[in-house]
Amino acid sequence: MGLRDRLDRTKTGNGGRPAPSAPLTFERKEEPAASARHDTTYQQIKLESHRRLIERLDSSRMGAADSPAARRQIRQLLERLVEEDNPPLNQEERRRLVQELEYETFGLGPLEPLLHDPTIDDILVNQYDEVYIERSGRLERVDAMFRDNDHLLQVIERIVTRAGRRIDESSPMVDARLPDGSRVNAIIPPLAVDGPSLSIRRVKANPITMDDLLKYGSANPLIASILEAAVKAKLNILISGGSGSGKTTLLNVIVRYIGKSERIVSIEDTVELQLRQLHVVRLETRPQNIEHEGEVTQRDLLRNALRMRPDRIIVGEVRGPEAFDMLQAMNTGHKGSLTTIHANSPRDALARLETMILMAAGNLTHETMRRHISSAIDVVVQLSRFRDGVRRIVSISEVMGLEEQVIKLQEILRFQERKSDRFDKPEGEFVTTGVLPAFLEQIQMAGIQMPGHLFARPAHPEFRAPSPARPEPLRKGA
């Protein structure tokens, strides 16, 4: 039985005989079933067309696998196949079929249209038929779906293979990146109980700037001035926040204040930073191979970076024993270093650093560790994502040293939230605490003018938080 015969049989049902008309009283109940049959028919056509395409591809004449000429050739071949089969589809469905088959051949299948949408920040595939996106800080489910778990696994394997990674039962988790820099995490059975899962954190074509943060209400002019001055004066900055709070975005924004003549070495698990300076060396970790050898960790790269004569060391995120080496670098002349950490408050961030130091040097006393941290970190910037989806800088704190075996922190500025009747939109403003930061002297010695009266309490009116015109967040991965 040919494709068209099978499709006709599926369409008519009842062994090829026309199905009887349903009573009017049941018309509403029959619609979903009819829609499901039509969708099944469409998927059958798509699967058969894709199989025939693979059979007829002449890779020797096609040239480069992803060249414009190859794309044109395959699109023409797809159009001919659709014409030959003459499936029971209207013109719009035929156009959609050719487009989706092109996505299957060159891209990531059902996810390709989402990757072309600049408003989407995250793409989250829980299961083959359950896909969510994050847009403007809010999650929403979309109609995109894979054929089955095998189809989703094929797309995952295509991603990780192109990135030079692997995923299988012996290595069921992987971090990778797409050609545009978007970060990918995949996990498959047996660890993912319900089937393969895929998460993509998008990188924006037009990176977020400080002006964007001001417009969105993620910061205010005083915060912008403090961060610019802190980077230029080579203060060591720790950016803290929960998952998805915008740490990498803020890091991407403030690294632009680093001078063009400085040599920067960046270290990341998966490259996300968009460093536009000329003198940059980017390092990325490597997982172990199939023989469980060849792993290169952030700690390995950090130790090597110290031999590369860096002016600045940037670690995308500290998660483990590399924190000890990072703090040592900050304490031995590598001023102006920057990194991020997962934590819900500045105090929690410092406590997490202690835990990470124990992973590397468990014989140190608590006092020694805290003295090490307090002498290395100058400023802690805390970020948070609010219920309206906007990500804000909620606190800037200065590390003042060790006092009675406790690291002394003093908050310079905070976001003061006010009570509001509107549950979905928090209200508030950025306010100074009235504390004159000790690092102000270091900023002024660097030749940067920042008058002390700006930190007086209450905050100067010109530095009140702007009201964002729309609830658009500080975006991730930009």
Side-chain angles (χ1 to χ4, degrees), residues 387-398:
R387 58 184 177 274
D388 61 352
V390 178
R391 298 168 173 87
R392 291 184 177 89
I393 296 171
V394 294
S395 172
I396 297 180
S397 301
E398 180 179 23

Side-chain angles (χ1 to χ4, degrees), residues 129-404:
D129 58 350
E130 187 179 320
V131 180
Y132 286 82
I133 63 168
E134 182 182 303
R135 181 186 281 121
S136 297
R138 297 176 184 272
L139 287 174
E140 56 185 272
R141 189 168 180 173
V142 292
D143 293 333
M145 62 179 292
F146 294 82
R147 191 168 55 251
D148 49 31
N149 281 331
D150 287 340
H151 186 200
L152 173 55
L153 187 57
Q154 288 171 12
V155 170
I156 291 173
E157 288 175 341
R158 184 180 302 171
I159 293 171
V160 301
T161 300
R162 288 175 178 175
R165 304 289 174 99
R166 69 183 182 90
I167 188 166
D168 50 41
E169 285 192 8
S170 63
S171 181
M173 296 183 292
V174 68
D175 285 315
R177 68 176 183 273
L178 299 179
D180 68 354
S182 296
R183 191 173 77 184
V184 177
N185 175 269
I187 183 167
I188 64 172
L191 300 188
V193 178
D194 298 320
S197 180
L198 178 67
S199 304
I200 301 176
R201 176 166 292 182
R202 302 287 308 286
V203 169
K204 299 295 181 180
N206 298 314
I208 296 289
T209 65
M210 184 58 77
D211 288 340
D212 293 322
L213 303 192
L214 297 177
K215 180 176 68 175
Y216 301 152
S218 300
N220 76 342
L222 179 55
I223 290 175
S225 298
I226 292 172
L227 293 179
E228 180 177 0
V231 173
K232 290 182 175 179
K234 292 194 170 183
L235 300 180
N236 293 325
I237 300 174
L238 177 66
I239 299 174
S240 168
S243 181
S245 59
K247 300 183 295 298
T248 303
T249 297
L250 181 61
L251 184 56
N252 263 320
V253 168
I254 66 175
V255 293
R256 295 176 200 171
Y257 297 133
I258 297 175
K260 294 181 180 179
S261 62
E262 297 184 69
R263 176 175 169 83
I264 303 170
V265 178
S266 69
I267 298 164
E268 299 177 82
D269 270 339
T270 305
V271 171
E272 287 186 276
L273 293 176
Q274 295 176 302
L275 300 167
R276 301 303 176 94
Q277 287 84 351
L278 297 176
H279 205 166
V280 174
V281 179
R282 300 192 302 167
L283 306 179
E284 185 178 49
T285 62
R286 185 179 68 186
Q288 60 189 10
N289 58 24
I290 196 168
E291 288 84 21
H292 303 288
E293 298 175 348
E295 181 181 19
V296 180
T297 66
Q298 283 200 143
R299 191 174 191 190
D300 297 328
L301 294 177
L302 190 48
R303 287 172 169 174
N304 189 78
L306 296 175
R307 306 184 187 104
M308 299 172 67
R309 197 238 165 251
D311 291 312
R312 307 265 189 162
I313 296 176
I314 301 174
V315 178
E317 181 183 340
V318 287
R319 295 191 182 96
E322 70 274 3
F324 179 63
D325 301 274
M326 180 75 186
L327 294 174
Q328 279 191 316
M330 290 176 172
N331 275 320
T332 55
H334 295 90
K335 291 294 183 181
S337 298
L338 303 101
T339 189
T340 72
I341 190 170
H342 272 277
N344 294 322
S345 71
R347 181 63 63 187
D348 287 345
L350 300 183
R352 283 210 68 204
L353 284 177
E354 282 191 53
T355 304
M356 294 174 188
I357 291 174
L358 284 173
M359 296 179 187
N363 58 335
L364 296 179
T365 65
H366 286 289
E367 181 180 359
T368 303
M369 286 190 294
R370 290 168 187 171
R371 195 174 299 281
H372 198 54
I373 293 169
S374 62
S375 61
I377 304 294
D378 297 309
V379 180
V380 181
V381 181
Q382 185 69 36
L383 291 161
S384 182
R385 179 166 59 177
F386 286 73
R387 58 184 177 274
D388 61 352
V390 178
R391 298 168 173 87
R392 291 184 177 89
I393 296 171
V394 294
S395 172
I396 297 180
S397 301
E398 180 179 23
V399 179
M400 297 298 295
L402 203 62
E403 189 174 284
E404 296 181 356

